[in-house]
Amino acid sequence: DEQRASVQYRFLLGAPTAEQAPALAAEQAEHGDLLTVDVPESYDTLFPKMVASWRWAISTHDFTFWMHADDDSFVRLDLLLEWLSKQSARGLYAGYMWDGSEGR
């Protein structure tokens, strides 16, 4: 459908090492879905990587909703798009905020 066709996605990566660069360039040439930001790839740089991706998205796209999901997440795009179609984009923040307790 039209809404699903309007979805764009990227796999966010920090700056590759010299050894990784050729394989990532080939991957990007084949699929065109990598976003590489000039931030070292590490757990400690997750927030700066996220900020760099926000800046990229804002400067290159006109969008209503923006989403981030970790690599260990599964997104039900069909359900998400249905839910978003009923939401106002203004001030919307949605997600699971884990408080560190058991049983999440």
Side-chain angles (χ1 to χ4, degrees):
D1 78 350
E2 183 180 328
Q3 188 179 24
R4 189 178 186 106
S6 70
V7 172
Q8 296 184 26
Y9 62 90
R10 300 293 185 276
F11 295 96
L12 175 61
L13 304 171
T17 64
E19 297 82 28
Q20 296 168 327
L24 291 174
E27 175 80 12
Q28 179 66 356
E30 183 175 350
H31 299 286
D33 57 5
L34 300 181
L35 171 59
T36 304
V37 295
D38 193 22
V39 176
E41 182 65 51
S42 126
Y43 183 78
D44 294 332
T45 60
L46 289 176
F47 184 72
K49 274 182 21 184
M50 182 60 52
V51 170
S53 71
W54 287 333
R55 289 181 176 152
W56 171 83
I58 289 167
S59 68
T60 60
H61 291 77
D62 180 23
F63 53 88
T64 304
F65 298 104
W66 187 90
M67 177 185 160
H68 166 81
D70 287 333
D71 60 355
D72 61 353
S73 300
F74 180 80
V75 178
R76 285 284 311 268
L77 190 57
D78 56 338
L79 297 177
L80 178 63
L81 291 175
E82 180 182 339
W83 182 77
L84 287 174
S85 72
K86 301 171 186 165
Q87 306 303 313
S88 166
R90 183 155 177 79
L92 176 66
Y93 179 87
Y96 183 77
M97 302 294 290
W98 183 48
D99 63 5
S101 62
E102 294 296 322
R104 59 179 186 160

